[in-house]
Amino acid sequence: MTTKHLLAATLVACSLGAQAQVIQTYQVRDAVTLRTPILTDSVNTEGRRYETRDLLSTAISLNQNNYNTQAMEADTTGFVTLTSADGEHLIYVVSTNIRADRFMKGKLKVTSPARWEAFIDGVSKMKKENAEDSLNVKAGRDIALRMEPERDYKVTIKLLAHKDDKATPTFKCEVVADKGYEKVNVYSGHDLKRRFALDNTVYGNRVIDVAMSPSGKYLYTRYWYNYSKDRQHVFAQLTDVKTGKVLLANAKDGMRWMPKSDKMYYTATAATGNNIIVLDPVTLTEEVLLTEIPAERFTWAPTEDFLIYYPSEKGQPEQGPLKRIATPRDRIPGFRGRSFLAKYDIKKGTTERLTYGHHSTYLGDIRYDGAKILFSTSAEDVTTRPFGTSSVYQLDLNTYEIDTLVAASGFVDGVSYSPDGTQVLIVGSAEAFDGIGKNSNHPIPNAYDKQAFIMDLATREVTPITKDFDPSISVLQWNVADKNIYFSTDDKDEVNIYRYNTAKKTFEQLPLEVGVTQRFSLPTQSAAMAAYYGQDDHTAGVGYLFDLKKMRSRLIADPMKPILEDIELGETHEWNFTASDGTTIHGKYCLPPSFDPEKKYPLIVYYYGGTTPTVKGISNPYCAQLFASRDYVVYVIQPSGTIGYGQEFAGRHVNAWGKRTADDIIEGTKKFCEEHPYVDAEHIGCLGASYGGFMTQYLQTQTDIFAAAVSHAGISNVTSYWGEGYWGYSYNAVAAADSYPWQNPDLFTKQGSLFNADKINTPLLLLHGTVDTNVPIGESIQLFNALKILGKEVEFVQVEGEDHFVADYAKRVLWHNTIMAWFARYLQDSPEWWNDLYPKRHL
């Protein structure tokens, strides 16, 4: 926005009174000619005669992007003059943008002698259906405005210039503040840069998947154009990688590559079971490959001559209205169900059950020649941490010979074959295989910090290949062509892709163009090209091809770019500090758009909600850009306990429940304020969800540096969460490993906010879904009751029908506004929004 437009938006028009602010600039579409319809009858079916005002209802696109437009500026009186109709009637579409820096109520006053219809964000708000011969008091109309702070509103006027009109088609728009809101600044203009909003975290256009063919010759890319809650378009494209030629612009969504041949397949419902239909990218023709196979999930064998299915059993239900709970996990719906393995022989057309029993079995991998498979079983063991075990087996599909590779381990998560089938890659915690993967002096590692091991099938020797590798890993592929292993990693605040050279035993980070790689697709038979998509703090859903030899990326698509180019995002910078114990604590900060270093800004501090790092990105409702867009400086800290920074750092999460983590947050916040003079240290807020909600509550028992705090789905009583949450006791197998309320009561009480509620002096907002099964709503209820009894400043807002995450978008908007209004109340000295959302009640 230019200085001229800023002044035009904020300076008071004296002749209109202190509350009125005139909108100065507009985008005007070239006039569209209209003609009066042929009147075949004098009246319509309702007996009504045709009137001039009916022309105003002419359907015309309000979107200015696809048409010729021009910028027009109001004259010194605030009016814009359009060309009169001469012979034919004309209709104009005029648009501009308005935004308030604080919550406000008022009116949009539209003055014109012509007929017009006004829209705000595409919704019709008012029609003026009669024309005046000149400008007079009858020419003005008031439209009620309720403007949330730093939210952009699109104002569109559809104006009719009739050939018989006596007055010149002119118009003026003013924002008139209600009493009490006169000091709110309103910005306006057709070229006003938008602010990042909650809608932008969900809606917009993105690449959502990429998949390379086995040879690497073809690429299948999925797109999601998400316009609104009820208007979405998901489509796919099939592309030739070498030439970039689009082979199919609208390929069928949901197709997958065959494991060996460069053909795509999908299933279609048959008379009985399903058919498998394949598409040949060379001829672009389809054929039915298999008919009436079982209608269940399956995995192709690498040899393409059989399928592995996953038959399931629901388990025994209770008879009658009472349910006897057999084990802690028996509370979880569906826990009694079991999953097994079956083989479908394509030539014979037979389905052969491979596993049967009381415990579920899961496919790990199929060997390259289809002769053997890896599978695992899981069993609950509530007497020993981590309260469940897995056993890994190799099954010879010809002889049915079983070979036990891992027996009843609680720390193994996944297995897969090496390309030649002589080794097995195993994922687990550092405690697996008697702790050979540990490199830290912590007695119990953080089990969420995943490690990789290689087992030689001939000798059964196990090698911990990530023992001295800090990022937490998940396996992508052990590639056939280059014999290297590719990992996706939680690597500080990024999700990066690493290649492990099995010959040199070294890790190499691939130089990708995004900070958070959401999908990295490798061909199964080639190591020449890969495809990926991801995001960072300024992009979302961007797709690339990656040359694995030249180590260079090539852009596939960035469909979100045009949307983000209209948004003024804040600058983000890395900021680390050295804690008092000598540890480097990593973090970043995001500045408000149009940042002015001479101003003072309130600060919001955010931290992890569990033990996973807060990664870069703009696609979640807690992203830094979203809060920065409301004129906050946002500090995102990665405190002790976060995975992705090495085993020692991650291990600080175990048996801590806030110890050291809180110290890092408090120390980091103080140092951040000291080093950044534009931060208003008297107006600092903090925010977290889940374990982060626990941290929000616990922090207030340790410090008074925060002026406001928000806890979503937070834990106030570690003991009740341990016992009541579906995953409470199993999460504590990490967070409170080998500790229990009866033998370590201090950990379960002193580290919670409930038993320290009298120390809380910060205004605290508690938000919770009413059907949260992970952290039951009682966690917020307990602390709310305690703080109310203590006479503390606390608010409790329930989100009806929502679980741990607010999934319903309409409810998420209200939830988000509640958080923003709370911070506006205490950090920006602007309580009006909160009072409008939650007026005082006398119960």
Side-chain angles (χ1 to χ4, degrees):
M1 181 171 61
T2 66
T3 303
K4 180 178 180 181
H5 292 155
L6 177 62
L7 291 173
T10 57
L11 290 179
V12 173
C14 298
S15 62
L16 298 171
Q19 304 100 315
Q21 299 184 38
V22 179
I23 298 175
Q24 293 288 333
T25 66
Y26 303 84
Q27 196 75 16
V28 182
R29 177 180 168 182
D30 290 352
V32 177
T33 301
L34 298 180
R35 289 176 291 186
T36 303
I38 303 299
L39 304 179
T40 59
D41 294 294
S42 59
V43 297
N44 65 5
T45 56
E46 297 175 350
R48 189 173 68 83
R49 292 182 178 276
Y50 179 81
E51 298 180 60
T52 300
R53 65 181 183 179
D54 291 330
L55 285 170
L56 191 61
S57 299
T58 301
I60 186 169
S61 174
L62 302 183
N63 187 341
Q64 305 277 54
N65 296 333
N66 300 324
Y67 305 98
N68 291 328
T69 62
Q70 59 177 313
M72 296 191 70
E73 192 162 341
D75 61 22
T76 55
T77 66
F79 280 93
V80 174
T81 301
L82 304 171
T83 302
S84 298
D86 183 14
E88 302 288 353
H89 319 300
L90 300 177
I91 195 161
Y92 292 93
V93 177
V94 178
S95 65
T96 192
N97 303 296
I98 58 174
R99 183 174 68 236
D101 69 346
R102 294 290 184 268
F103 178 81
M104 73 161 287
K105 288 183 176 182
K107 301 172 184 64
L108 176 66
K109 185 179 184 64
V110 181
T111 304
S112 173
R115 300 169 180 85
W116 52 261
E117 183 175 8
F119 302 80
I120 297 180
D121 289 341
V123 178
S124 178
K125 295 296 183 179
M126 183 175 289
K127 277 186 179 182
K128 176 177 176 285
E129 297 183 321
N130 297 313
E132 283 81 40
D133 292 343
S134 62
L135 276 174
N136 55 55
V137 292
K138 295 180 181 180
R141 299 287 189 277
D142 290 340
I143 301 168
L145 280 180
R146 180 186 181 276
M147 299 178 68
E148 295 167 3
E150 301 297 355
R151 177 187 161 186
D152 297 281
Y153 296 85
K154 171 74 75 173
V155 175
T156 306
I157 306 293
K158 187 167 69 171
L159 187 144
L160 175 64
H162 194 271
K163 68 181 181 64
D164 295 330
D165 287 347
K166 295 181 180 180
T168 301
T170 63
F171 70 91
K172 175 169 66 174
C173 293
E174 307 155 77
V175 176
V176 183
D178 285 352
K179 185 177 180 180
Y181 299 97
E182 297 91 340
K183 294 183 180 180
V184 176
N185 291 319
V186 176
Y187 305 93
S188 67
H190 73 278
D191 58 351
L192 181 70
K193 275 282 190 178
R194 295 171 52 223
R195 289 293 177 94
F196 192 78
L198 184 66
D199 281 1
N200 302 122
T201 67
V202 176
Y203 301 121
N205 307 333
R206 293 168 170 84
V207 174
I208 57 169
D209 199 12
V210 289
M212 296 287 288
S213 70
S215 71
K217 292 181 180 179
Y218 305 104
L219 173 67
Y220 181 74
T221 307
R222 296 182 68 230
Y223 296 84
W224 185 23
Y225 283 21
N226 192 6
Y227 306 112
S228 64
K229 180 180 178 182
D230 302 314
R231 299 193 66 81
Q232 304 175 15
H233 177 41
V234 177
F235 63 98
Q237 289 185 345
L238 183 62
T239 310
D240 183 286
V241 169
K242 185 177 181 179
T243 65
K245 180 181 178 182
V246 176
L247 304 176
L248 280 177
N250 284 287
K252 182 177 177 60
D253 185 39
M255 290 196 293
R256 298 174 181 270
W257 291 107
M258 298 284 286
K260 184 173 65 173
S261 56
D262 274 354
K263 293 184 178 181
M264 302 203 79
Y265 74 92
Y266 63 93
T267 60
T269 302
T272 59
N274 287 335
N275 293 341
I276 292 183
I277 300 170
V278 296
L279 169 73
D280 187 338
V282 176
T283 63
L284 298 180
T285 58
E286 293 185 354
E287 65 173 327
V288 178
L289 180 67
L290 299 175
T291 60
E292 299 186 339
I293 63 171
E296 299 172 4
R297 292 187 306 112
F298 63 84
T299 298
W300 275 99
T303 51
E304 297 185 1
D305 57 356
F306 67 88
L307 310 172
I308 295 294
Y309 276 90
Y310 310 98
S312 60
E313 298 173 1
K314 291 184 178 180
Q316 293 297 319
E318 295 289 342
Q319 299 298 320
L322 304 183
K323 179 181 178 180
R324 173 178 174 263
I325 302 298
T327 70
R329 291 185 186 177
D330 194 23
R331 297 172 54 221
I332 303 173
F335 168 73
R336 295 185 181 186
R338 297 292 185 265
S339 176
F340 302 97
L341 302 178
K343 176 186 174 184
Y344 178 79
D345 189 299
I346 290 175
K347 289 184 178 179
K348 297 178 182 178
T350 58
T351 302
E352 185 178 20
R353 184 75 173 259
L354 298 177
T355 61
Y356 179 91
H358 179 65
H359 299 298
S360 288
T361 54
Y362 309 95
L363 179 68
D365 199 8
I366 307 173
R367 205 170 72 172
Y368 71 96
D369 58 0
K372 295 183 179 182
I373 66 170
L374 298 172
F375 75 92
S376 62
T377 63
S378 65
E380 188 177 18
D381 180 1
V382 295
T383 64
T384 306
R385 184 181 61 86
F387 312 126
T389 62
S390 293
S391 298
V392 180
Y393 305 95
Q394 180 173 245
L395 170 64
D396 188 312
L397 294 177
N398 296 315
T399 65
Y400 266 36
E401 181 181 350
I402 285 283
D403 192 2
T404 303
L405 305 183
V406 179
S409 171
F411 305 103
V412 171
D413 298 328
V415 292
S416 57
Y417 280 113
S418 63
D420 62 2
T422 63
Q423 296 173 299
V424 172
L425 179 61
I426 301 173
V427 175
S429 86
E431 285 189 85
F433 305 107
D434 297 321
I436 63 172
K438 290 175 60 177
N439 73 359
S440 166
N441 58 7
H442 285 290
I444 302 175
N446 186 333
Y448 294 121
D449 182 37
K450 297 303 179 185
Q451 307 294 318
F453 307 83
I454 293 178
M455 173 186 286
D456 185 289
L457 288 175
T459 65
R460 300 302 165 90
E461 181 181 355
V462 177
T463 303
I465 64 172
T466 57
K467 182 175 182 177
D468 298 310
F469 181 65
D470 285 345
S472 178
I473 64 95
S474 64
V475 177
L476 292 174
Q477 187 189 111
W478 197 331
N479 189 262
V480 171
D482 65 8
K483 306 300 187 291
N484 295 325
I485 306 173
Y486 292 80
F487 293 99
S488 176
T489 67
D490 285 306
D491 184 16
K492 299 183 174 66
D493 67 346
E494 297 187 334
V495 176
N496 289 319
I497 307 301
Y498 282 82
R499 177 166 59 191
Y500 178 72
N501 188 308
T502 53
K504 297 179 180 179
K505 296 179 172 52
T506 56
F507 284 91
E508 175 187 24
Q509 181 184 339
L510 302 187
L512 306 183
E513 295 294 323
V514 294
V516 176
T517 306
Q518 295 170 278
R519 172 95 154 94
F520 189 83
S521 175
L522 280 158
T524 55
Q525 309 297 321
S526 169
M529 298 289 290
Y532 67 95
Y533 82 95
Q535 65 173 332
D536 57 32
D537 285 328
H538 297 86
T539 63
V542 190
Y544 293 90
L545 284 167
F546 184 72
D547 189 316
L548 287 157
K549 295 180 180 179
K550 296 179 180 179
M551 305 291 273
R552 288 201 305 245
S553 294
R554 186 174 89 208
L555 181 67
I556 298 171
D558 186 2
M560 192 71 175
K561 184 178 179 180
I563 297 172
L564 293 176
E565 284 179 338
D566 286 338
I567 296 173
E568 185 181 12
L569 295 172
E571 292 183 12
T572 56
H573 301 275
E574 182 179 344
W575 187 80
N576 308 324
F577 74 94
T578 301
S580 54
D581 65 354
T583 303
T584 298
I585 303 298
H586 291 252
K588 71 173 182 184
Y589 64 95
C590 185
L591 296 173
S594 303
F595 171 70
D596 180 355
E598 300 302 317
K599 287 178 58 177
K600 285 281 189 180
Y601 292 90
L603 176 70
I604 291 178
V605 182
Y606 184 74
Y607 26 80
Y608 66 72
T611 186
T612 304
T614 303
V615 298
K616 298 175 179 177
I618 55 174
S619 297
N620 73 76
Y622 296 105
C623 67
Q625 289 285 3
L626 190 55
F627 291 90
S629 72
R630 269 60 179 169
D631 280 343
Y632 297 101
V633 174
V634 182
Y635 171 38
V636 179
I637 184 174
Q638 311 285 0
S640 289
T642 317
I643 66 171
Y645 292 84
Q647 288 188 34
E648 193 283 326
F649 197 80
R652 299 178 182 185
H653 183 73
V654 181
N655 280 307
W657 275 104
K659 295 177 184 175
R660 198 165 184 171
T661 302
D663 295 338
D664 289 348
I665 296 171
I666 295 168
E667 186 176 7
T669 300
K670 290 179 178 179
K671 288 188 173 181
F672 186 85
C673 293
E674 291 170 2
E675 292 190 20
H676 300 90
Y678 49 77
V679 170
D680 182 353
E682 299 299 315
H683 290 83
I684 307 173
C686 61
L687 167 72
S690 195
Y691 187 92
F694 160 82
M695 281 306 309
T696 292
Q697 299 173 18
Y698 179 67
L699 281 167
Q700 311 323 308
T701 72
Q702 305 297 303
T703 182
D704 288 333
I705 65 171
F706 298 106
V710 176
S711 166
H712 174 74
I715 300 158
S716 65
N717 181 350
V718 182
T719 305
S720 58
Y721 168 65
W722 170 83
E724 291 187 62
Y726 274 3
W727 299 278
Y729 76 102
S730 58
Y731 180 77
N732 270 289
V734 178
D738 290 338
S739 294
Y740 303 96
W742 52 88
Q743 44 90 300
N744 192 354
D746 283 355
L747 178 66
F748 285 82
T749 55
K750 290 184 178 179
Q751 294 310 114
S753 60
L754 179 63
F755 291 90
N756 297 281
D758 58 326
K759 300 174 185 176
I760 296 177
N761 299 307
T762 306
L764 177 62
L765 170 62
L766 303 169
L767 297 129
H768 223 117
T770 58
V771 293
D772 192 333
T773 55
N774 186 1
V775 178
I777 193 172
E779 293 302 314
S780 287
I781 293 172
Q782 292 179 90
L783 186 59
F784 176 71
N785 290 347
L787 294 177
K788 276 295 185 182
I789 290 170
L790 289 164
K792 306 285 186 171
E793 186 66 41
V794 63
E795 292 283 355
F796 177 33
V797 176
Q798 300 182 162
V799 188
E800 293 295 328
E802 293 300 297
D803 205 321
H804 202 51
F805 177 76
V806 182
D808 182 276
Y809 188 71
K811 295 176 185 177
R812 196 186 310 172
V813 170
L814 298 173
W815 164 86
H816 169 77
N817 287 346
T818 298
I819 294 172
M820 291 300 190
W822 182 258
F823 281 141
R825 176 181 180 181
Y826 288 101
L827 304 186
Q828 296 178 330
D829 299 324
S830 180
E832 293 84 4
W833 193 10
W834 178 269
N835 294 336
D836 182 75
L837 288 172
Y838 301 103
K840 286 186 178 180
R841 292 183 178 179
H842 301 283
L843 300 179

